[in-house]
């Protein structure tokens, strides 16, 4: 009975905080910040509020018990494959989530990611968050500016994009750090759409296992090409985010990703102490 009461209290507390939908803030998930939104996928199915979004080419995006980071379950992008490297169009399996109103212009994120068996050469998005253009009342997904964390040419990458489609001209930053295979990694990101008194939103920042990534390669991508970088429009409030895996070019090797202990907040969330 004592256990039930404690559980009930915990659930009430969580409901009040409007935070972690399941499992709750804990050292295990590194999500003690009551303002953070956390997902450990321990429902064993798609958590409340997330809806299926992209579904192109082969593979599945599901919550299953094949490889959890913590607990029993994780989000699993399973056997994604389709298209050809070097050609536009690739497997995309994603879910999206509407952020609470007045989320603000600064979004910190954290997710544990496991990738196997090979590093894609193609652009493989893992997470993005979007916000209305300055002065715009439009909230439709395809009208929003956005930040993205991804991999490209087998290395970590981050991008600032104008609305998609087309999503470019975009400001691309490619790291000198190869995508880690066959082990859990802690990815953190900072999307600072406010950037203080600066005229534009900040470039995205990303950390791998607590170490900030460098971006020796930065460029504008557009089709047709341009050398004029996009103006990174400032944010008032992030409104929606998307996760899963989204390949913008083909993927010929069937590849699996797992994502667990996903969290976003207005402050840095951090990784497990271990
Ligand atoms: Ca889990």
């Amino acid at each position: 009975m004592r256990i039930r009461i404690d559980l009930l209290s915990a659930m009430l507390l969580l409901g009040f905080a409007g935070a972690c939908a399941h499992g709750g803030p804990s050292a295990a998930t590194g999500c003690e910040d009551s303002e953070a939104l956390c997902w450990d996928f321990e429902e064993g199915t798609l958590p409340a509020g997330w809806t299926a979004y992209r579904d192109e080419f082969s593979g599945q995006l599901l919550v299953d018990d094949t490889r959890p980071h913590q607990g029993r379950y994780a989000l699993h992008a399973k056997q994604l494959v389709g298209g050809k490297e070097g050609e536009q169009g690739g497997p995309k399996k994603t879910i999206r989530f509407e952020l609470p109103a007045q989320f603000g212009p600064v979004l910190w994120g954290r997710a544990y990611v496991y990738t196997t068996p090979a590093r894609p050469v193609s652009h493989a998005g893992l997470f993005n968050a979007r916000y209305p253009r300055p002065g715009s009342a439009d909230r439709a997904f395809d009208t929003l500016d956005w930040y993205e964390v991804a991999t490209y040419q087998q290395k970590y990458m981050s991008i600032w994009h104008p609305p998609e489609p087309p999503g470019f001209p975009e400001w691309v930053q490619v790291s000198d750090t190869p995508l880690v295979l066959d082990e859990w990694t802690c990815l953190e990101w900072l999307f600072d759409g406010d950037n203080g008194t600066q005229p534009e939103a900040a470039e995205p920042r990303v950390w791998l296992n607590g170490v900030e990534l460098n971006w020796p390669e930065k460029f504008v991508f557009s089709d047709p090409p341009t050398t004029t970088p996009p103006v990174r429009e400032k944010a008032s409030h992030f409104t929606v985010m998307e996760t899963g895996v989204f390949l913008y070019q083909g993927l010929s090797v069937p590849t699996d990703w797992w994502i667990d202990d996903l969290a976003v907040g207005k402050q840095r969330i951090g990784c497990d102490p271990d």
Side-chain angles (χ1 to χ4, degrees):
M1 196 59 194
R2 176 61 188 272
I3 291 167
R4 284 192 59 183
I5 290 166
D6 285 349
L7 270 176
L8 189 61
S9 304
M11 288 169 71
L12 287 170
L13 199 68
L14 287 171
F16 179 75
C20 306
H22 196 280
S26 71
T29 55
C31 193
E32 296 88 351
D33 178 358
S34 63
E35 279 195 296
L37 296 156
C38 309
W39 294 273
D40 60 12
F41 302 100
E42 294 306 301
E43 300 89 343
T45 187
L46 204 59
W50 288 93
T51 53
Y53 185 46
R54 301 184 212 235
D55 185 7
E56 300 177 26
F57 286 97
S58 298
Q60 275 185 286
L61 182 66
L62 72 169
V63 174
D64 71 16
D65 62 357
T66 52
R67 191 186 297 280
H69 171 257
Q70 299 269 4
R72 180 174 172 186
Y73 297 100
L75 183 66
H76 182 191
K78 181 179 180 181
Q79 292 289 288
L80 267 56
V81 68
K84 292 180 180 173
E85 283 78 1
E87 294 183 8
Q88 291 301 307
K92 297 181 180 69
K93 309 285 168 179
T94 69
I95 51 176
R96 56 189 260 196
F97 182 88
E98 302 288 329
L99 288 161
Q102 309 296 308
F103 183 89
V106 177
L107 185 144
W108 281 91
R110 190 282 313 275
Y112 290 86
V113 181
Y114 189 113
T115 310
T116 196
R119 300 177 177 89
V121 172
S122 298
H123 172 178
L126 297 168
F127 180 90
N128 65 71
R130 303 182 190 227
Y131 57 92
R133 300 187 64 191
S136 171
D138 212 328
R139 298 293 181 270
F141 200 82
D142 61 2
T143 65
L144 306 175
D145 288 331
W146 53 298
Y147 282 94
E148 180 188 357
V149 176
T151 67
Y152 177 60
Q153 294 185 337
Q154 307 185 322
K155 295 172 283 196
Y156 295 94
M157 172 171 75
S158 61
I159 307 179
W160 186 93
H161 296 264
E164 178 192 32
F168 53 71
E170 62 190 27
W171 184 240
V172 182
Q173 307 183 126
V174 183
S175 80
D176 49 5
T177 303
L179 164 62
V180 175
L181 293 177
D182 300 318
E183 63 182 80
W184 283 103
T185 53
C186 180
L187 270 184
E188 296 177 273
W189 53 89
L190 171 58
F191 300 159
D192 181 357
D194 178 49
N195 203 18
T197 58
Q198 296 299 311
E200 297 186 27
E203 296 174 334
R205 297 173 65 185
V206 180
W207 289 257
L208 174 69
N209 296 330
V211 178
E212 186 164 8
L213 297 178
N214 298 311
W215 313 110
E217 194 181 349
K218 296 187 180 190
F219 59 92
V220 184
F221 170 78
S222 193
D223 184 14
T226 176
T227 54
T228 307
V231 174
R232 292 190 306 275
E233 297 178 319
K234 296 183 84 163
S236 295
H237 297 284
F238 282 93
T239 54
V240 62
M241 56 189 191
E242 178 183 15
T243 192
V245 180
F246 38 108
L247 275 290
Y248 283 93
Q249 303 89 37
L251 180 64
S252 55
V253 177
T255 305
D256 283 66
W257 288 259
W258 288 262
I259 297 171
D260 203 356
D261 295 319
L262 170 66
V264 297
K266 300 172 186 181
Q267 298 175 349
R268 191 171 183 177
I269 294 147
C271 303
D272 286 349
D274 58 4

